[in-house]
């Protein structure tokens, strides 16, 4: 490789330092990629793959993208999970002989992607760092807004935590060994990037007001998080080549400050993301979101994900919503004013990383213009809580005036190609812009002045590429006139002489260099604007945060009015009293006139509700709306009901639906049992638990036994508010065995073969599931349905659950209760006599089997006989 070209040698040396990134190597007006990078990028970007000679026998694979349109290509690579290293020319090619010096100036990664144009205004974009010291420590930051959080995570909760935050990128220390199961699960969902610690201290990242403000938050409580903070901030500095000065505070995310919602609960209840489409539509967020601003949408989304568990704070938020409800004019005026506000947080993010555009500056100016009006409108209202909320709000009028003075109304996208800075803002800019637009008039005036001075009416100003601008005087006129001494002859023609003087030369320099000078002056001033704004990021972000809170409150207010919601009340008696509750999402889909409301009443006698009834009857809707209404109330929202009186919960857990995880070797039933196990370990008496059809993923007797034992455990050990829907009708017997269990069912109207689901919940139990009726609705052929009805009647006739199944067992208070083994038995159709082979000899068993009438044994009885025989066979063989 001794013949390798100097340029390619430079490329390979730089690429060696950035092996895990696609290197965008600047060559003139293009970013070029070579070798493996070119092979990978050309497929992702769908661009032509060519080759380049570099001193070896084979040509290097090569592809490239234009410098001026590189951003879209970069974003495409980032969304494909790649890192992109931007390598720029750091010397002027005109001033260098040989190879121009190049350096990587920025590395763009999924978690540090400030310019993600596919990111919705309500979405966060987190970079996460995880370390382990007795338990997991994590820091996660949205680089687009500067929001940074730290937290501790229990060892068995890491996957839940990461799933809940949904980071775009995760960092681990290079020596950090994570469990194989964790690692496998994380790699299935997330891109994992290895990184090493940085020794940079936090103070090195911040200066001025930002450092002073941040210092208030770096206290003893934060010391344990300094390693992950140093690591994540060092990574940002390493990749972006710049200090992340939009980070103005560090939040400690304490789980006990909020109502706990695990990832399964958020997914099952479809709070912010539809389980099918993975989109916002048809979620609780979609129903409540009347926000106008992006920061308001993000604030509302965070409130949904993190409901409060402090009744005082909940009521403070409800008071604010109620104040807005009382004034139509205030809501209307604020909504109109907020419509002028752009995403101030993400604009400051671009400031921090040096990516502020001219359009961003105008967007910020437009946002700041309405701030004084927002503050005045609230202060003029009859809303004391709102007034108190904004009493220290900064209207940023000085920054608005600064941008108004400096930046034109509609600046060009590129400083090089048009107007950005007002001419009046800088005298030199004003002069050069005048010359650029009026050069002909200026030269005409110079020509007129020279004619008068020399007394030569035929004198004219001309231009050519060799001499530039000149005065031209005919030979006849030059003999008659006195040529001033400052006129220097530059060229003699057959009929005229050409001269220049200092005035014309200076004007030539100004006119010919006007465009470049305008670019230089505008660039210098715009850099100054970016520096001024950067020094005020703290102020801008604090105001943006307050705007987000007000907008989110406004959204909750409008939703409560538009969707006929009521203010919830709270009690300390663990009582649910929700009158005419409605599922907000389903009601929105069906229409208010088609949704059937239901009362939800939970007290000490009905702490655990066993809910039976038909498929498609509304059991799941009833249970989910209980959980969703509880979440709405805890986040400070009005709720979809006629009235609501709720306890303050510590957590909500749900086990809903069927899913597997084959990549981790887990069946549907295993996933179900792991989720139930998680609930058992974490629920308390102040939790709300939703269990939908637990036990359906295994055999009937297995599933029924598990369901029975679970309900007993929740009744005796936890006594949490539990809604348990089931098609195991036998377990409704538990109501007679426990004082805190009650049965409920979904009403059905039967008129002959006509069956109508009423979607109304009633006290009592039901012993039918109407599955065949639902199959009929789904379009299952009549032949199959007829055969199914025959078998159903036969099975119902030969019900095999023995009386012992319902016996109350003695509970060992020192251990969790388990399901007792029930006697395996078979029913004889005629005598209902139990059959057991336990005391029979092998010969007697054979005789007994020989005497069975196979036409008179139900399938369920046959399975029981087979299970009993298998068990005895194993015992006797061993």
């Amino acid at each position: 490789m001794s013949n390798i070209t100097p340029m390619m040698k430079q490329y390979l040396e730089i690429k060696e330092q950035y092996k895990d990134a696609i290197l965008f190597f600047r060559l003139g007006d293009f970013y070029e990629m070579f070798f493996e990078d070119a092979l990978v990028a050309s497929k992702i970007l769908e661009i032509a793959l060519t080759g380049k000679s570099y001193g070896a026998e084979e040509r290097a694979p090569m592809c490239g993208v234009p410098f001026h349109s590189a951003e879209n290509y970069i974003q495409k690579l980032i969304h494909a999970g790649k890192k992109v290293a931007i390598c720029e020319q750091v010397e002027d090619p005109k001033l260098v002989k040989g190879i121009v010096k190049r350096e990587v100036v920025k590395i763009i990664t999924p978690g540090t992607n400030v310019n993600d144009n596919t990111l919705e205004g309500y979405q966060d974009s987190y970079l996460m760092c995880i370390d382990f010291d007795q338990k997991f420590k994590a820091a996660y930051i949205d680089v687009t807004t500067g929001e940074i959080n730290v937290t501790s995570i229990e060892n068995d909760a890491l996957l839940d935590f990461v799933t809940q935050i949904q980071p775009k990128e995760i960092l681990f220390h290079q020596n950090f060994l994570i469990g194989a199961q964790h690692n496998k699960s994380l790699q299935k969902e997330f891109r994992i990037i290895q990184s090493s610690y940085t020794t940079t201290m936090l103070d090195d990242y911040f200066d001025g007001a930002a450092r002073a403000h941040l210092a208030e938050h770096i206290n003893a409580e934060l010391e344990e998080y300094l390693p992950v903070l140093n690591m994540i901030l060092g990574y940002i500095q390493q990749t972006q080549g710049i200090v992340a000065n939009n980070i103005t505070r560090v939040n400690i995310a304490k789980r006990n400050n909020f109502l706990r919602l695990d990832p399964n609960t958020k997914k099952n209840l479809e709070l912010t993301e539809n389980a099918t489409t993975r989109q916002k539509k048809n979620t609780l967020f979609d129903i409540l979101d009347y926000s106008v601003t992006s920061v308001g949408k993000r604030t509302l989304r965070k409130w949904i994900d993190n409901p409060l568990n402090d009744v005082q704070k909940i009521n403070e938020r409800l008071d604010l919503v109620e104040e807005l409800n009382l004034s139509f004019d205030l809501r209307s005026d604020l909504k109109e004013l907020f419509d002028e506000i752009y995403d101030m947080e993400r604009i400051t993010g671009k400031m921090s990383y040096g990516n502020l555009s001219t359009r961003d500056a105008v967007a910020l100016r437009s946002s700041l213009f309405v701030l004084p009006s927002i503050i005045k409108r609230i202060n003029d209202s009859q809303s004391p809580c709102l007034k108190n909320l904004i009493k220290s709000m900064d209207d940023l009028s000085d920054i608005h005036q600064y941008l108004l003075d400096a930046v034109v109304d509609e600046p060009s996208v590129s400083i090089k190609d048009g107007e950005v800075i007002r001419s009046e803002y800088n005298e030199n800019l004003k002069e050069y812009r005048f010359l650029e637009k009026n050069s002909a008039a200026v030269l005409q005036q110079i020509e007129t002045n020279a004619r008068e001075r020399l007394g030569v009416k035929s004198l004219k100003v001309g231009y050519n590429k060799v001499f530039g601008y000149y005065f031209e005087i005919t030979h006849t006129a030059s003999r008659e006139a006195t040529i001033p001494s400052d006129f220097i002859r530059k060229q003699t023609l057959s009929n005229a002489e050409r001269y220049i003087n200092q005035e014309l030369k200076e004007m030539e320099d100004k006119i010919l260099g006007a465009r470049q000078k305008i670019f230089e002056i505008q660039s210098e001033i715009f850099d100054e604007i970016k520096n001024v704004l950067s020094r005020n990021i703290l102020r801008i972000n604090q105001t943006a945060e307050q705007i987000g809170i007000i907008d989110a409150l406004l959204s909750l207010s409008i939703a409560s009015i538009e969707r006929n919601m009521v203010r919830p009340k709270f009690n300390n008696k663990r009582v649910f009293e929700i009158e005419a509750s409605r599922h907000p999402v389903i009601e929105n889909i069906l229409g208010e006139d088609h949704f059937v409301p239901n009362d939800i009443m939970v007290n000490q006698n009905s702490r655990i509700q066993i809910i039976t009834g038909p498929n498609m009857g509304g059991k799941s809707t009833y249970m989910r709306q209980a959980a969703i209404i509880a979440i709405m109330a805890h986040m400070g929202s009005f709720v979809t009901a006629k009235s609501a009186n709720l306890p303050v919960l510590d957590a909500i857990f749900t086990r809903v639906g069927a899913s597997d995880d084959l990549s981790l070797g887990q069946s549907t039933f295993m996933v179900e049992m792991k989720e139930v196990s998680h609930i058992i370990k974490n629920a308390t008496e102040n939790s709300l638990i939703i269990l939908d059809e637990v036990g359906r993923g295994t055999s009937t007797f297995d599933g029924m036994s598990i369901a029975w034992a679970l309900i007993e455990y929740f009744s005796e050990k936890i006594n949490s508010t539990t809604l348990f829907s089931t098609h195991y009708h036998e377990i409704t017997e538990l109501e007679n065995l426990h004082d805190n269990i009650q049965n409920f069912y979904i009403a059905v109207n039967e008129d002959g073969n006509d069956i109508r689901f009423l979607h109304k919940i009633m006290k009592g139990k039901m012993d039918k599931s109407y599955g065949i009726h639902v199959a009929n609705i789904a379009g299952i052929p009549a032949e199959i349905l007829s055969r199914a009805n025959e078998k159903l009647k036969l099975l119902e006739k030969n019900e095999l659950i023995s009386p012992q199944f319902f016996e109350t067992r003695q509970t060992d208070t020192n251990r969790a209760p388990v399901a007792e083994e029930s006697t395996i038995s078979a029913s004889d159709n005629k005598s209902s006599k139990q059959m057991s082979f336990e005391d029979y000899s092998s010969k007697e068993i054979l005789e007994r089997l020989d005497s069975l009438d196979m036409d008179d044994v139900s399938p369920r009885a046959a399975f029981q006989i087979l299970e009993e025989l298998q068990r005895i066979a194993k015992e006797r063989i061993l």
Side-chain angles (χ1 to χ4, degrees):
M1 300 292 287
S2 58
N3 296 325
I4 190 170
T5 61
M7 187 277 291
M8 191 57 73
K9 182 179 179 182
Q10 183 189 52
Y11 169 84
L12 292 172
E13 289 173 352
I14 296 173
K15 175 62 183 175
E16 182 66 20
Q17 302 173 50
Y18 301 95
K19 294 180 179 179
D20 62 342
I22 292 178
L23 186 63
F24 269 40
F25 191 73
R26 181 71 178 273
L27 288 177
D29 290 333
F30 281 80
Y31 286 121
E32 302 290 1
M33 290 154 275
F34 299 98
F35 301 108
E36 183 65 24
D37 284 0
L39 296 173
V40 172
S42 62
K43 291 180 181 178
I44 296 173
L45 301 178
E46 298 178 328
I47 56 178
L49 181 69
T50 61
K52 183 177 180 63
S53 299
Y54 67 104
E57 291 184 7
E58 73 281 2
R59 288 163 61 84
M62 181 181 82
C63 67
V65 299
F67 161 76
H68 67 275
S69 60
E71 186 59 40
N72 289 334
Y73 294 104
I74 292 171
Q75 294 302 324
K76 196 168 184 179
L77 290 171
I78 296 300
H79 292 152
K82 305 300 179 182
K83 297 169 67 175
V84 178
I86 307 298
C87 182
E88 295 286 4
Q89 298 172 172
V90 294
E91 294 178 324
D92 189 341
K94 298 176 183 177
L95 305 177
V96 177
K97 291 183 179 180
I99 296 298
V100 176
K101 185 178 179 181
R102 293 178 174 85
E103 292 178 355
V104 170
V105 298
K106 181 181 293 187
I107 304 170
I108 305 171
T109 73
T112 60
N113 186 12
V114 181
N115 292 328
D116 188 351
N117 50 23
T118 67
L119 195 64
E120 295 285 353
Y122 62 84
Q123 293 176 319
D124 297 304
S125 180
Y126 287 121
L127 166 70
M128 179 180 287
C129 169
I130 299 174
D131 192 23
F132 186 82
D133 179 14
Q134 296 183 336
K135 58 183 176 180
F136 290 108
K137 299 287 195 309
Y140 52 102
I141 178 174
D142 185 341
V143 295
T144 68
T145 65
E147 175 203 347
I148 185 168
N149 303 276
V150 293
T151 192
S152 296
I153 313 155
E154 297 299 329
N155 295 359
D156 61 350
L158 178 63
L159 297 180
D160 279 353
F161 172 74
V162 174
T163 304
Q164 179 174 333
I165 301 301
Q166 291 287 310
K168 297 292 181 69
E169 180 179 352
I170 306 174
L171 308 176
F172 294 119
H173 184 270
Q174 60 185 4
N175 298 323
F176 172 62
L177 297 177
I178 190 167
Q181 190 70 13
H182 282 151
N183 200 28
K184 188 175 181 181
S185 299
L186 288 172
Q187 292 211 30
K188 189 183 84 166
E189 292 290 336
F190 304 102
R191 173 177 172 77
I192 298 177
I193 296 174
Q194 301 292 327
S195 180
S196 50
Y197 284 136
T198 172
T199 57
T200 307
M201 297 308 294
L202 285 176
D203 281 352
D204 295 336
Y205 288 98
F206 308 100
D207 53 22
R211 181 194 294 177
H213 180 78
L214 185 65
E216 297 176 6
H217 296 264
I218 303 299
N219 51 33
E221 197 175 11
L222 270 172
E223 285 182 2
E224 63 177 305
Y225 300 106
L226 289 179
V228 286
L229 281 171
N230 282 334
M231 181 177 171
I232 202 167
L233 293 173
Y235 183 77
I236 292 170
Q237 187 179 51
Q238 172 195 343
T239 56
Q240 302 305 295
I242 196 168
V243 170
N245 68 340
N246 65 328
I247 303 169
T248 54
R249 68 177 179 278
V250 180
N251 303 311
I252 300 179
K254 296 181 179 179
R255 294 170 65 184
N256 58 0
N257 287 347
F258 302 97
L259 173 66
R260 183 178 176 188
L261 304 173
D262 62 25
N264 284 330
T265 298
K266 292 181 179 182
K267 177 182 177 182
N268 292 334
L269 297 179
E270 298 180 300
L271 299 181
T272 59
E273 185 179 271
N274 184 277
T276 303
T277 65
R278 307 294 295 269
Q279 301 298 315
K280 173 189 172 186
K281 186 173 177 59
N282 292 332
T283 63
L284 177 62
F285 181 31
D286 186 31
I287 296 302
L288 296 179
D289 184 23
Y290 289 85
S291 306
V292 182
T293 68
S294 294
V295 66
K297 292 179 184 296
R298 289 195 297 275
T299 301
L300 179 62
R301 190 171 185 263
K302 287 182 176 67
W303 288 356
I304 296 172
D305 279 333
N306 300 283
L308 302 167
N309 63 3
D310 183 318
V311 70
Q312 180 179 342
K313 293 180 179 178
I314 295 170
N315 279 317
E316 286 173 358
R317 196 175 285 173
L318 287 168
D319 288 341
L320 289 161
V321 174
E322 192 162 49
E323 282 188 353
L324 286 165
N325 285 1
L326 296 174
S327 177
F328 170 82
D329 290 342
L330 179 59
R331 293 195 309 274
S332 179
D333 292 345
L334 288 178
K335 189 174 178 67
E336 184 177 345
L337 290 167
F338 283 157
D339 197 42
E340 300 298 320
I341 293 180
Y342 292 82
D343 197 337
M344 293 165 60
E345 279 189 332
R346 291 219 159 117
I347 291 174
T348 61
K350 292 182 179 181
M351 289 180 205
S352 180
Y353 296 99
N355 294 331
L356 188 76
S357 70
T358 60
R359 298 296 172 87
D360 292 329
V362 172
L364 179 61
R365 183 179 64 192
S366 299
S367 303
L368 302 185
F369 173 73
V370 298
L371 288 181
S373 299
I374 291 172
I375 295 172
K376 184 178 186 304
R377 182 64 186 87
I378 292 175
N379 282 329
D380 289 344
S381 71
Q382 303 298 315
S383 305
C385 296
L386 281 169
K387 290 179 184 178
N388 186 61
L389 182 66
I390 66 159
K391 64 182 180 181
S392 60
M393 186 171 173
D394 188 345
D395 68 4
L396 303 171
S397 55
D398 56 326
I399 299 176
H400 171 257
Q401 189 61 50
Y402 175 64
L403 291 172
L404 189 64
D405 292 341
V407 181
V408 300
D409 293 339
E410 296 182 5
S412 64
V413 176
S414 171
I415 293 177
K416 190 173 184 179
D417 299 329
E419 292 188 14
V420 174
I421 305 300
R422 293 187 190 276
S423 298
E424 298 79 8
Y425 188 76
N426 182 280
E427 287 299 321
N428 288 334
L429 177 63
K430 182 177 182 180
E431 179 184 1
Y432 282 113
R433 196 166 276 157
F434 177 82
L435 287 175
E436 183 184 42
K437 294 178 179 179
N438 303 282
S439 59
V442 171
L443 291 170
Q444 182 63 50
Q445 186 60 50
I446 291 175
E447 182 180 274
T448 300
N449 293 342
R451 284 178 178 179
E452 292 176 356
R453 180 183 175 192
L454 274 64
V456 178
K457 293 183 178 181
S458 62
L459 180 148
K460 64 180 180 180
V461 173
Y463 174 83
N464 68 28
K465 293 182 180 180
V466 177
F467 297 112
Y469 289 107
Y470 54 81
F471 296 111
E472 184 173 292
I473 306 173
T474 63
H475 288 312
T476 301
S478 63
R479 286 194 293 268
E480 296 175 355
T482 301
I483 305 300
S485 60
D486 61 321
F487 272 55
I488 301 170
R489 183 184 288 112
K490 295 295 294 182
Q491 187 180 19
T492 300
L493 304 178
S494 59
N495 64 338
E497 297 285 350
R498 290 178 176 174
Y499 300 88
I500 63 169
N501 68 357
Q502 188 64 28
E503 179 190 18
L504 186 61
K505 188 62 180 174
E506 289 178 357
M507 190 54 63
E508 174 188 296
D509 292 341
K510 288 182 177 181
I511 291 173
L512 296 181
R515 174 159 298 197
Q516 180 62 26
K517 283 292 185 181
I518 290 170
F519 168 68
E520 292 172 359
I521 294 171
Q522 288 201 128
S523 296
E524 183 179 344
I525 294 173
F526 196 69
D527 286 342
E528 177 189 329
I529 290 172
K530 289 193 283 189
N531 289 333
V532 169
L533 294 177
S534 183
R535 291 194 294 270
N536 286 278
I537 281 178
L538 172 60
R539 292 175 60 200
I540 297 170
N541 272 347
Q542 286 177 330
T543 297
E545 181 180 0
Q546 289 176 292
I547 289 293
I549 292 171
I550 299 169
D551 193 21
L553 291 168
L554 180 64
S555 179
L556 291 179
S557 173
I558 296 172
S560 70
I561 294 168
E562 293 290 327
R563 300 189 182 278
N564 192 25
M565 300 180 186
V566 298
R567 176 171 180 161
K569 297 178 181 178
F570 290 87
N571 64 76
N572 56 7
K573 299 179 181 179
R574 299 177 59 211
V575 171
F576 275 79
E577 294 177 344
I578 309 176
E579 183 182 2
S581 71
R582 312 184 315 271
H583 192 300
V585 178
I586 296 178
E587 179 186 47
N588 183 63
I589 295 171
L590 297 179
E592 187 176 352
D593 295 337
H594 294 87
F595 186 88
V596 179
N598 271 297
D599 296 341
I600 301 173
M601 299 296 173
V602 179
N603 53 40
Q604 62 180 358
N605 298 321
S606 59
R607 187 78 61 219
I608 298 173
Q609 298 185 0
I610 299 175
I611 307 163
T612 52
N615 287 298
M616 301 293 293
K619 299 190 301 295
S620 293
T621 299
Y622 168 78
M623 294 192 300
R624 292 183 203 214
Q625 72 197 41
I628 288 176
I629 286 173
I631 290 169
M632 292 169 70
H634 282 72
M635 63 175 279
S637 169
F638 282 34
V639 299
T640 46
K642 189 175 180 180
S643 67
N645 186 8
L646 306 168
V648 177
L649 302 171
D650 61 5
I652 296 177
F653 300 97
T654 66
R655 165 54 228 167
V656 176
S659 62
D660 57 31
D661 197 338
L662 299 180
S663 64
L664 296 179
Q666 296 181 357
S667 67
T668 299
F669 187 64
M670 173 59 80
V671 170
E672 179 180 329
M673 290 298 100
K674 286 174 74 77
E675 291 178 5
V676 172
S677 174
H678 169 76
I679 294 171
I680 293 170
K681 292 175 182 176
N682 292 280
T684 73
E685 65 176 6
N686 294 315
S687 302
L688 171 62
I689 301 173
I690 304 298
L691 297 173
D692 191 9
E693 304 294 348
V694 169
R696 301 296 290 182
T698 184
S699 71
T700 301
F701 291 153
D702 271 355
M704 192 184 306
S705 300
I706 290 171
W708 182 287
L710 273 175
I711 296 175
E712 282 188 329
Y713 186 86
F714 286 125
S715 169
E716 299 167 4
K717 295 293 185 179
I718 302 178
N719 197 26
S720 54
T721 299
T722 305
L723 306 183
F724 190 105
S725 73
T726 184
H727 287 289
Y728 296 134
H729 305 119
E730 294 81 1
I731 65 176
T732 56
E733 183 66 21
L734 282 165
E735 180 186 61
N736 300 321
L737 305 176
H738 296 269
D739 293 337
N740 59 353
I741 298 178
Q742 279 191 2
N743 293 326
F744 291 83
Y745 71 97
I746 301 294
V748 175
N749 184 20
E750 288 190 73
D751 184 7
N753 292 326
D754 184 19
I755 299 173
R756 186 162 64 93
F757 299 155
L758 302 181
H759 306 290
K760 199 71 177 174
I761 191 156
M762 313 286 287
K763 279 189 177 182
K765 62 182 181 180
M766 177 174 285
D767 57 4
K768 290 184 179 181
S769 294
Y770 299 93
I772 295 175
H773 177 71
V774 174
N776 181 37
I777 296 173
I780 299 296
E783 179 184 359
I784 297 174
L785 296 175
S786 176
R787 179 60 173 161
N789 268 310
E790 291 177 11
K791 303 307 294 179
L792 177 63
K793 290 176 182 178
L794 182 61
L795 290 171
E796 288 175 341
K797 182 178 179 182
N798 292 282
E799 180 58 58
L800 296 174
I801 301 299
S802 68
Q804 289 92 331
F805 187 85
F806 302 107
E807 288 180 356
T808 304
R809 54 163 174 72
Q810 297 296 320
T811 303
D812 182 353
T813 56
N814 295 319
R815 64 181 179 87
V818 296
E820 297 280 3
E821 285 191 15
S822 58
T823 303
I824 304 295
S825 61
S827 287
D828 186 290
N829 274 351
K830 297 173 182 176
S831 63
S832 298
K833 182 179 178 182
Q834 286 189 344
M835 175 180 287
S836 175
F837 297 99
E838 186 68 34
D839 299 325
Y840 286 81
S841 66
S842 299
K843 181 179 179 182
E844 288 172 327
I845 290 174
L846 291 174
E847 291 173 351
R848 183 78 171 171
L849 289 173
D850 184 56
S851 66
L852 282 175
D853 182 354
M854 298 307 295
D855 292 330
D856 205 22
V857 177
S858 71
R860 185 177 294 182
F863 276 117
Q864 283 186 299
I865 293 169
L866 185 60
E867 280 188 327
E868 177 76 354
L869 288 171
Q870 186 182 55
R871 184 179 65 80
I872 293 173
K874 287 180 179 178
E875 290 176 355
R876 296 190 180 183
I877 291 172
L878 293 175

